[in-house]
PDB file of all heavy atoms in Angstrom:
ATOM      1  N   ARG A  18      57.776 -31.455  95.458  1.00  0.00           N
ATOM      2  CA  ARG A  18      59.199 -31.289  95.301  1.00  0.00           C
ATOM      3  C   ARG A  18      59.731 -30.274  96.308  1.00  0.00           C
ATOM      4  O   ARG A  18      60.755 -30.436  96.910  1.00  0.00           O
ATOM      5  CB  ARG A  18      59.548 -30.799  93.876  1.00  0.00           C
ATOM      6  CG  ARG A  18      59.852 -32.012  92.935  1.00  0.00           C
ATOM      7  CD  ARG A  18      60.944 -31.673  91.957  1.00  0.00           C
ATOM      8  NE  ARG A  18      60.607 -30.514  91.136  1.00  0.00           N
ATOM      9  CZ  ARG A  18      60.006 -30.557  90.002  1.00  0.00           C
ATOM     10  NH1 ARG A  18      59.669 -31.735  89.455  1.00  0.00           N
ATOM     11  NH2 ARG A  18      59.809 -29.471  89.267  1.00  0.00           N
ATOM     12  N   ALA A  21      59.834 -31.901  99.663  1.00  0.00           N
ATOM     13  CA  ALA A  21      60.997 -32.850  99.719  1.00  0.00           C
ATOM     14  C   ALA A  21      62.257 -32.053  99.881  1.00  0.00           C
ATOM     15  O   ALA A  21      63.188 -32.482 100.597  1.00  0.00           O
ATOM     16  CB  ALA A  21      61.025 -33.638  98.373  1.00  0.00           C
ATOM     17  N   PRO A  29      67.249 -33.103 111.121  1.00  0.00           N
ATOM     18  CA  PRO A  29      66.462 -33.685 112.164  1.00  0.00           C
ATOM     19  C   PRO A  29      65.154 -34.216 111.648  1.00  0.00           C
ATOM     20  O   PRO A  29      64.634 -35.303 112.057  1.00  0.00           O
ATOM     21  CB  PRO A  29      66.198 -32.533 113.129  1.00  0.00           C
ATOM     22  CG  PRO A  29      67.333 -31.606 112.855  1.00  0.00           C
ATOM     23  CD  PRO A  29      67.653 -31.750 111.373  1.00  0.00           C
ATOM     24  N   LEU A  34      61.564 -38.688 110.088  1.00  0.00           N
ATOM     25  CA  LEU A  34      60.832 -39.445 109.018  1.00  0.00           C
ATOM     26  C   LEU A  34      61.359 -40.876 108.888  1.00  0.00           C
ATOM     27  O   LEU A  34      60.583 -41.835 108.817  1.00  0.00           O
ATOM     28  CB  LEU A  34      61.009 -38.682 107.718  1.00  0.00           C
ATOM     29  CG  LEU A  34      59.972 -38.992 106.639  1.00  0.00           C
ATOM     30  CD1 LEU A  34      58.599 -38.702 107.040  1.00  0.00           C
ATOM     31  CD2 LEU A  34      60.338 -38.264 105.365  1.00  0.00           C
ATOM     32  N   LEU A  36      62.974 -42.665 111.204  1.00  0.00           N
ATOM     33  CA  LEU A  36      62.612 -43.523 112.330  1.00  0.00           C
ATOM     34  C   LEU A  36      61.140 -43.947 112.258  1.00  0.00           C
ATOM     35  O   LEU A  36      60.862 -45.142 112.468  1.00  0.00           O
ATOM     36  CB  LEU A  36      62.819 -42.688 113.613  1.00  0.00           C
ATOM     37  CG  LEU A  36      64.268 -42.521 114.115  1.00  0.00           C
ATOM     38  CD1 LEU A  36      64.362 -41.543 115.266  1.00  0.00           C
ATOM     39  CD2 LEU A  36      64.876 -43.900 114.526  1.00  0.00           C
ATOM     40  N   GLY A  64      66.044 -73.627 128.763  1.00  0.00           N
ATOM     41  CA  GLY A  64      67.540 -73.782 128.665  1.00  0.00           C
ATOM     42  C   GLY A  64      68.207 -72.511 128.351  1.00  0.00           C
ATOM     43  O   GLY A  64      69.437 -72.395 128.489  1.00  0.00           O
ATOM     44  N   THR A 102      45.275 -44.947 118.257  1.00  0.00           N
ATOM     45  CA  THR A 102      43.925 -44.886 118.809  1.00  0.00           C
ATOM     46  C   THR A 102      43.723 -43.769 119.738  1.00  0.00           C
ATOM     47  O   THR A 102      42.747 -43.004 119.641  1.00  0.00           O
ATOM     48  CB  THR A 102      43.655 -46.251 119.585  1.00  0.00           C
ATOM     49  OG1 THR A 102      44.112 -47.325 118.794  1.00  0.00           O
ATOM     50  CG2 THR A 102      42.193 -46.370 119.906  1.00  0.00           C
ATOM     51  N   THR A 112      38.428 -31.834 118.174  1.00  0.00           N
ATOM     52  CA  THR A 112      38.362 -30.922 117.086  1.00  0.00           C
ATOM     53  C   THR A 112      36.931 -30.255 117.000  1.00  0.00           C
ATOM     54  O   THR A 112      36.862 -29.050 116.916  1.00  0.00           O
ATOM     55  CB  THR A 112      38.747 -31.571 115.715  1.00  0.00           C
ATOM     56  OG1 THR A 112      39.962 -32.241 115.921  1.00  0.00           O
ATOM     57  CG2 THR A 112      38.866 -30.540 114.701  1.00  0.00           C
ATOM     58  N   GLY A 123      31.002 -16.817 122.857  1.00  0.00           N
ATOM     59  CA  GLY A 123      29.924 -16.589 123.841  1.00  0.00           C
ATOM     60  C   GLY A 123      29.750 -17.681 124.851  1.00  0.00           C
ATOM     61  O   GLY A 123      30.726 -18.242 125.348  1.00  0.00           O
ATOM     62  N   VAL A 215      47.817 -31.461 112.315  1.00  0.00           N
ATOM     63  CA  VAL A 215      48.709 -32.502 111.844  1.00  0.00           C
ATOM     64  C   VAL A 215      50.005 -32.497 112.653  1.00  0.00           C
ATOM     65  O   VAL A 215      50.494 -33.509 113.135  1.00  0.00           O
ATOM     66  CB  VAL A 215      49.093 -32.262 110.357  1.00  0.00           C
ATOM     67  CG1 VAL A 215      50.180 -33.171 109.921  1.00  0.00           C
ATOM     68  CG2 VAL A 215      47.834 -32.501 109.492  1.00  0.00           C
ATOM     69  N   ILE A 250      59.937 -53.617 130.528  1.00  0.00           N
ATOM     70  CA  ILE A 250      60.878 -52.927 131.440  1.00  0.00           C
ATOM     71  C   ILE A 250      60.491 -53.142 132.818  1.00  0.00           C
ATOM     72  O   ILE A 250      61.361 -53.342 133.758  1.00  0.00           O
ATOM     73  CB  ILE A 250      60.897 -51.390 131.091  1.00  0.00           C
ATOM     74  CG1 ILE A 250      61.426 -51.233 129.628  1.00  0.00           C
ATOM     75  CG2 ILE A 250      61.828 -50.626 132.049  1.00  0.00           C
ATOM     76  CD1 ILE A 250      61.458 -49.771 129.194  1.00  0.00           C
TER      77      ILE A 250
END
Side-chain angles (χ1 to χ4, degrees):
Chain A
R18 268 217 301 269
L34 197 61
L36 284 171
T102 312
T112 310
V215 170
I250 297 177

